[in-house]
Amino acid sequence: MTPEKFEYIQALLKDHAGWEMSEDKLYILDRRLSVLARHKNLNNLSDLLEDIETKPKVTTGEIVEALAMTDTTFNRDYDVFKRLESVVLPQLKNAKKGSKRIRILSLGCSSGQEVYSMAMSINRIWGDEIYDWDIKIIGADINKKALNKAQKARYSIFEVQQGMNIKDILANFKPVGDEWEVKSSIRKLVDFRECNIIDSMTFLDKFDLVACRNVLKYLYTDNQSDLLTKIHNFQPVGGLLYVGKNEDLSAISSGYKRINGFNCLYQSTSSTPEVKVEINETVQNKKPDEAKAMPSFVKPTKM
């Protein structure tokens, strides 16, 4: 890929998705766009970019979708997710016991594993009480192909084994041919919708918990700030923001405050987030007892 083509793709991704694509991701662009070109029966990347001139909306959408990050697993970042399950969700249940109504949003949900993981946790924590509650988890993403997979709720044995042990698999899935389908008792808690986070987002509900994990760090600074403002606007004061394990939002001086003891959990305040947000990536080591609790099927972080 020539520098000129790379700059063109960079500008396209910024304008249509808010993504900041650095040069170290060049090989990803080249590989994924080459696959897209072949899928469209085009000879090369140059032909693909020329296709934008004749079908700008269609081809641009295909390029954005082809480059969307889809890396996700069940119970992603196992130690962090289990703290959410064991501490945050029970406290949320207690706080909402008056209304018995909870709304959760997962932005950048990809193929649905995070959404279903939260639904499985809630189903396990609530037990038979869940029938008396009004609970909905909405997953939103720009990638139509990933959303279609999420809505079908069917995964390969390799996918379900990433982050789940055999007990959890049997409790939450049923075998369908060579795949495993999420059980209806879990599926009824979730919904999915197509959503571009740089566009205006309209939701009828206020969300008690918004999961926006490993999304902000791929955005330009201005887009990070805009997205946080949008999230803040459809959360009540005290609403929770759950970000990625390696995302540090310490540059936020208003709008959200970090909850003590949680490196990736923030709580909404009454003020609006200020403009500049910087996402810093840090490596957090697992505690020995947390690592020991990890199921044997979790995908290793190093190969």
Side-chain angles (χ1 to χ4, degrees):
M1 182 183 294
T2 65
E4 292 76 17
K5 286 187 175 66
F6 178 72
E7 290 178 5
Y8 180 82
I9 296 295
Q10 269 188 319
L12 184 147
L13 293 176
K14 180 179 181 180
D15 291 342
H16 294 275
W19 298 336
E20 182 176 17
M21 191 65 73
S22 56
E23 290 187 11
D24 64 324
K25 299 294 191 299
L26 181 60
Y27 74 98
I28 296 179
L29 268 71
D30 208 6
R31 177 169 53 83
R32 292 190 180 184
L33 292 182
S34 295
V35 171
L36 177 60
R38 289 196 299 271
H39 178 74
K40 293 172 64 65
N41 294 318
L42 299 172
N43 294 321
N44 48 45
L45 179 58
S46 296
D47 289 349
L48 180 64
L49 298 183
E50 288 178 6
D51 202 47
I52 294 178
E53 297 180 8
T54 56
K55 293 175 289 185
K57 187 173 182 179
V58 173
T59 305
T60 298
E62 290 173 330
I63 289 176
V64 170
E65 185 168 316
L67 296 175
M69 299 298 175
T70 56
D71 183 27
T72 185
T73 62
F74 290 101
N75 298 341
R76 187 177 189 180
D77 296 329
Y78 187 81
D79 54 320
V80 175
F81 185 84
K82 284 302 175 181
R83 289 199 70 198
L84 180 84
E85 178 183 75
S86 62
V87 179
V88 179
L89 291 179
Q91 290 189 10
L92 181 59
K93 178 187 176 186
N94 185 61
K96 302 290 289 186
K97 62 184 179 182
S99 65
K100 292 189 175 182
R101 186 177 190 275
I102 289 177
R103 291 294 182 268
I104 296 174
L105 174 65
S106 172
L107 289 173
C109 70
S110 188
S111 47
Q113 284 94 321
E114 178 176 74
V115 174
Y116 288 121
S117 295
M118 287 192 286
M120 292 170 194
S121 294
I122 287 174
N123 190 59
R124 182 162 47 248
I125 294 167
W126 267 247
D128 290 340
E129 293 181 60
I130 201 167
Y131 299 108
D132 298 325
W133 284 67
D134 176 13
I135 300 173
K136 184 62 68 177
I137 308 171
I138 296 176
D141 202 281
I142 194 174
N143 191 322
K144 294 179 183 178
K145 184 177 180 180
L147 286 175
N148 287 336
K149 181 179 178 66
Q151 289 168 333
K152 290 178 181 178
R154 290 188 180 185
Y155 301 90
S156 69
I157 186 61
F158 176 75
E159 289 171 318
V160 297
Q161 285 180 342
Q162 291 188 54
M164 303 192 75
N165 56 37
I166 190 64
K167 180 181 177 181
D168 288 338
I169 293 171
L170 295 176
N172 296 290
F173 294 83
K174 63 178 183 180
V176 179
D178 295 332
E179 296 179 306
W180 289 79
E181 182 178 283
V182 180
K183 289 183 177 179
S184 59
S185 58
I186 305 299
R187 295 178 66 178
K188 69 180 182 181
L189 298 176
V190 312
D191 194 10
F192 295 96
R193 66 176 65 178
E194 185 181 350
C195 176
N196 188 337
I197 55 178
I198 68 169
D199 293 338
S200 59
M201 294 187 287
T202 303
F203 295 101
L204 299 177
D205 292 305
K206 291 283 187 179
F207 293 97
D208 305 291
L209 171 64
V210 174
C212 186
R213 311 195 67 222
N214 303 304
V215 173
L216 288 159
K217 66 182 182 181
Y218 292 111
L219 302 179
Y220 283 90
T221 300
D222 289 346
N223 295 114
Q224 292 171 3
S225 304
D226 290 343
L227 178 57
L228 281 167
T229 299
K230 291 173 186 175
I231 293 173
H232 189 271
N233 288 339
F234 48 73
Q235 281 201 285
V237 175
L240 300 172
L241 172 61
Y242 177 41
V243 299
K245 180 177 179 178
N246 297 327
E247 291 180 302
D248 177 14
L249 304 186
S250 58
I252 300 177
S253 57
S254 65
Y256 287 96
K257 62 179 181 181
R258 194 170 82 177
I259 296 179
N260 290 336
F262 289 85
N263 291 331
C264 53
L265 192 66
Y266 296 77
Q267 191 163 35
S268 173
T269 63
S270 58
S271 56
T272 302
E274 292 184 355
V275 173
K276 188 173 182 180
V277 180
E278 296 175 352
I279 306 299
N280 301 313
E281 295 192 40
T282 58
V283 177
Q284 302 174 13
N285 295 321
K286 296 181 181 67
K287 298 178 182 178
D289 58 332
E290 291 172 336
K292 195 175 294 183
M294 185 178 293
S296 58
F297 285 134
V298 172
K299 182 182 178 182
T301 55
K302 293 182 180 180
M303 298 296 288

